Amino acid sequence: MRQPKSDLQNSQNIEHVAKLANLPLSNAELAIYSEQLDKIIDYINQLNQVDTKGVEPTFSVREITNVFQTGEQNQSLTATEALQNAPVHKDNFFVTKGIFED
Amino acid sequence: MNQDGYELVIGLEVHVELNTKNKMFCNCSTDYFGQPANTHICPVCLGLPGALPIINHEAIQSCMKIGLALNCTVAENSRFERKNYFYPDLPKGFQISQYRWPLCTGGWLEVSDMNGQANKIRINRVHQEEDTGKLTHSNRNSLVDYNRSGIPLVEIVTEPDFHDVESVRDYAKKLQQIFRSLGVSNADMEKGDMRLEANVSVRPVGSQELPDYRVELKNINSFRFMVAAIEYERSRQIAALEKGEELTQETRGWNEEKKETYLQRGKEEAHDYRYFPEPDLPELQVASQVVQIKKEMPELPEAKIRRYKQDLSLPQSAAQVLASDSNLSKVFETALEISAGKLTALTVANKLINSQNGASLLPEKVVQDLLTSKEGLIEDNNEISKLAQEAIKENAQVAEIYRKGKLTAIQSLIGVVMRKSQGKADAAKVKETLEKLLNSES
């Protein structure tokens, strides 16, 4: 079983996960999600108690292999079609907030 | 500062864009070079919700060819996984890559180090993934072009077996030759077809242990800069260790103006990619295709060099130059065949190596030129003299015209000698000999 974690550890974890998921969370939200994530982890830990030794994990419910493209070429979208839902675009480009080479 | 007593420990990651017709997981054309932005895209490579990827078999075959050329084993079961991170070059929020079940593993490639010594570099894995879109940074915005998104990309990861930059250089060069002979990529570094990342650390000479840190050199677009960055890191890291400083895991880039590396990402910010199996792609079981693929694979540069040395008695240097360029070696072999034994392999090899554009010459022309030119053979003065005397005797009238002052008449005598020698006589020498004979007899 998982060792109970301190509140501090929890809030650091949730901050890390939020950062990875690119979610800007307020302190109030961090508290709410922290609690929710705890419950999820408890649930997973409950599942982890089942002995699955020697059982192949299922990554896909369809037991098929080697599915390949047919080789034909599709008509691509036009730039106009591709850009029609973009909040900001310029010339043929999607425009995002400045992402500088870090 | 004494920099002796330490050695470099380097592992390389090479990415190479494949030249397949279609993208990796959709039917978009890969022929986007020089085309307007966002014209070679579809719901799959744009990462639109609900779009489903389908694997490109041609790419998988190319990936296996690369793996086999690097002496890897093709996995019985191979899978794709999602590598999660947020960056606008990837519209899905993840890259489809391979992690726990790479297509090819456990190979090696022999490279020469700075002392000319041959060393085996162990290849950890050769796996298949997809390329990202291209960002252009302008003012406060970034412009995104997804034409490159989903182009098949193969990643080749070595063990940390390099200890000097010469080996790194040789490895990159040999990989490029392999990609080109296999015909799987143009491997043009300037165009970004082939990209290098190096994990660099240093340790005391004699130590067999891996250092407990490594500096990742990334986003370095030129091979020359990569070498400079590695050399800079060597000095920087040794200096830090000598001062008793602790080095940590970090990512650094290269500043060409300042000629130094700079911190891009520290340990705390290290990526956490949360790989998990791509549920939309079924498992690959392609090891049974290896026999067929091996049959289709062309002769690789290393094997070619061996054959040129053993069967054609070429020196190492000539064999190496010819084998390093598959177009050049094709011209060489065709020319040698056409010459049907009239020319030695070394003669043809030298001609091509000494030509500026050997690879684009017509083999027929090469043979013809060689047979009629100096390198073509008969340079022996006695033999030329014998043929010249015959020519004068058989064409006494022409000789007489020359002696009377019509000097151009010698051309026709030169022609006779050339015919007698089947075009193998050195024309300049023939002219000289004829002149001597004609003038002395007058």
Side-chain angles (χ1 to χ4, degrees):
Chain A
M1 271 298 278
R2 184 177 64 99
Q3 292 297 311
K5 284 188 176 167
S6 71
D7 285 351
L8 180 66
Q9 273 176 311
N10 271 344
S11 73
Q12 279 173 344
N13 275 340
I14 199 82
E15 264 186 75
H16 180 61
V17 173
K19 195 180 162 199
L20 290 174
N22 206 21
L23 296 173
L25 297 184
S26 66
N27 281 341
E29 284 170 321
L30 277 178
I32 297 169
Y33 288 123
S34 205
E35 203 187 313
Q36 289 181 353
L37 190 68
D38 247 6
K39 282 187 186 144
I40 294 169
I41 289 172
D42 281 343
Y43 176 62
I44 300 289
N45 278 327
Q46 206 180 331
L47 291 178
N48 276 344
Q49 287 171 4
V50 181
D51 182 8
T52 55
K53 208 175 269 171
V55 180
E56 284 276 311
T58 301
F59 300 124
S60 166
V61 288
R62 301 187 61 193
E63 306 224 328
I64 46 175
T65 57
N66 298 349
V67 180
F68 298 117
Q69 290 175 18
T70 54
E72 304 146 20
Q73 232 158 46
N74 268 7
Q75 192 77 41
S76 291
L77 297 173
T78 63
T80 317
E81 287 170 321
L83 293 163
Q84 68 185 353
N85 288 337
V88 191
H89 54 90
K90 189 184 158 197
D91 303 326
N92 266 14
F93 294 94
F94 292 87
V95 179
T96 69
K97 271 186 305 193
I99 305 286
F100 296 98
E101 298 280 272
D102 45 4
Chain B
M1 158 86 47
N2 182 16
Q3 300 254 311
D4 294 340
Y6 288 92
E7 72 170 356
L8 280 165
V9 180
I10 306 170
L12 289 183
E13 292 170 23
V14 171
H15 284 92
V16 62
E17 258 190 22
L18 300 179
N19 57 5
T20 54
K21 237 170 95 240
N22 289 4
K23 286 192 181 181
M24 189 60 227
F25 299 115
C26 60
N27 289 344
C28 279
S29 159
T30 55
D31 194 14
Y32 70 90
F33 193 80
Q35 298 293 311
N38 293 309
T39 53
H40 289 56
I41 50 178
C42 73
V44 175
C45 54
L46 265 182
L48 297 187
L52 288 173
I54 307 174
I55 301 169
N56 180 342
H57 196 197
E58 192 190 353
I60 296 300
Q61 287 171 320
S62 295
C63 183
M64 284 196 275
K65 283 180 192 170
I66 296 172
L68 292 170
L70 297 174
N71 307 294
C72 289
T73 309
V74 173
E76 291 292 335
N77 306 294
S78 179
R79 272 196 173 277
F80 286 99
E81 300 201 51
R82 292 186 180 181
K83 178 181 181 178
N84 298 282
Y85 66 91
F86 278 100
Y87 200 66
D89 63 357
L90 268 174
K92 299 192 290 290
F94 60 86
Q95 178 191 31
I96 303 180
S97 181
Q98 296 197 293
Y99 190 55
R100 282 165 288 186
W101 302 275
L103 189 52
C104 312
T105 54
W108 52 267
L109 184 67
E110 204 168 79
V111 304
S112 302
D113 66 14
M114 58 183 171
N115 304 316
Q117 181 109 26
N119 293 311
K120 268 187 187 172
I121 302 297
R122 290 169 298 156
I123 309 288
N124 174 292
R125 53 160 58 210
V126 174
H127 79 230
Q128 182 72 61
E129 56 186 39
E130 56 175 342
D131 210 345
T132 62
K134 194 171 182 301
L135 296 184
T136 315
H137 307 287
S138 87
N139 297 328
R140 295 201 179 147
N141 293 325
S142 292
L143 305 177
V144 199
D145 172 11
Y146 288 117
N147 281 348
R148 199 182 64 185
S149 164
I151 297 284
L153 199 63
V154 167
E155 178 171 340
I156 299 148
V157 183
T158 75
E159 299 292 348
D161 288 350
F162 298 90
H163 302 294
D164 62 56
V165 289
E166 274 319 307
S167 309
V168 172
R169 202 192 304 271
D170 196 43
Y171 175 77
K173 205 175 70 192
K174 283 191 170 140
L175 273 192
Q176 191 177 49
Q177 288 166 5
I178 288 173
F179 299 147
R180 288 179 179 167
S181 357
L182 291 174
V184 298
S185 172
N186 306 332
D188 190 338
M189 286 194 65
E190 306 298 314
K191 282 192 184 164
D193 299 340
M194 184 176 157
R195 298 163 228 160
L196 244 67
E197 288 168 27
N199 289 305
V200 182
S201 37
V202 297
R203 70 180 173 199
V205 170
S207 163
Q208 294 303 313
E209 270 168 52
L210 282 182
D212 58 2
Y213 73 96
R214 58 171 199 247
V215 172
E216 191 179 10
L217 296 176
K218 244 184 144 165
N219 304 324
I220 300 178
N221 303 328
S222 127
F223 187 71
R224 200 161 52 83
F225 295 169
M226 178 55 86
V227 169
I230 292 173
E231 275 164 352
Y232 180 88
E233 272 305 297
R234 177 190 156 85
S235 305
R236 186 187 71 85
Q237 293 179 19
I238 292 172
L241 291 177
E242 287 282 305
K243 271 189 261 172
E245 286 170 20
E246 203 174 321
L247 289 161
T248 56
Q249 207 96 348
E250 58 188 32
T251 304
R252 298 178 79 90
W254 176 247
N255 183 328
E256 172 59 11
E257 268 159 48
K258 294 187 183 161
K259 308 276 182 217
E260 61 184 34
T261 61
Y262 64 94
L263 184 68
Q264 287 184 318
R265 194 163 62 222
K267 192 180 186 177
E268 321 73 50
E269 303 159 75
H271 273 154
D272 179 353
Y273 294 122
R274 296 150 294 141
Y275 283 95
F276 67 88
E278 166 58 86
D280 290 338
L281 289 172
E283 188 171 88
L284 285 171
Q285 294 179 355
V286 288
S288 60
Q289 298 174 11
V290 166
V291 179
Q292 183 59 31
I293 285 177
K294 276 190 173 164
K295 268 191 223 157
E296 290 166 11
M297 276 168 62
E299 185 181 36
L300 292 167
E302 290 296 307
K304 210 170 261 177
I305 291 172
R306 259 200 312 279
R307 182 164 61 83
Y308 287 174
K309 278 162 63 183
Q310 281 168 7
D311 301 356
L312 303 176
S313 312
L314 288 186
Q316 168 79 21
S317 55
Q320 223 163 354
V321 173
L322 292 174
S324 68
D325 178 339
S326 53
N327 289 327
L328 186 63
S329 61
K330 210 174 283 168
V331 175
F332 168 68
E333 291 189 19
T334 314
L336 199 56
E337 205 183 312
I338 294 172
S339 81
K342 282 190 213 133
L343 296 167
T344 66
L346 187 61
T347 308
V348 179
N350 283 340
K351 166 82 177 172
L352 290 174
I353 292 166
N354 295 328
S355 307
Q356 270 191 338
N357 53 346
S360 57
L361 293 178
L362 269 180
E364 291 81 2
K365 178 95 169 66
V366 172
V367 174
Q368 205 178 24
D369 286 356
L370 280 173
L371 287 175
T372 53
S373 79
K374 199 170 176 177
E375 293 135 286
L377 291 178
I378 308 177
E379 286 182 80
D380 181 69
N381 286 328
N382 291 331
E383 198 169 346
I384 290 175
S385 181
K386 203 184 103 212
L387 294 174
Q389 282 169 6
E390 277 175 30
I392 292 172
K393 205 182 278 174
E394 289 162 17
N395 298 277
Q397 270 184 322
V398 182
E400 198 53 36
I401 293 169
Y402 173 85
R403 288 194 186 102
K404 281 185 181 157
K406 195 168 183 233
L407 297 180
T408 51
I410 202 168
Q411 293 302 335
S412 118
L413 291 172
I414 294 173
V416 174
V417 176
M418 292 309 286
R419 269 197 299 283
K420 280 178 181 290
S421 72
Q422 291 172 322
K424 288 187 199 165
D426 178 345
K429 265 194 183 151
V430 170
K431 184 163 181 260
E432 199 181 298
T433 310
L434 280 169
E435 279 170 351
K436 219 184 282 170
L437 287 170
L438 289 167
N439 292 329
S440 67
E441 281 170 32
S442 59

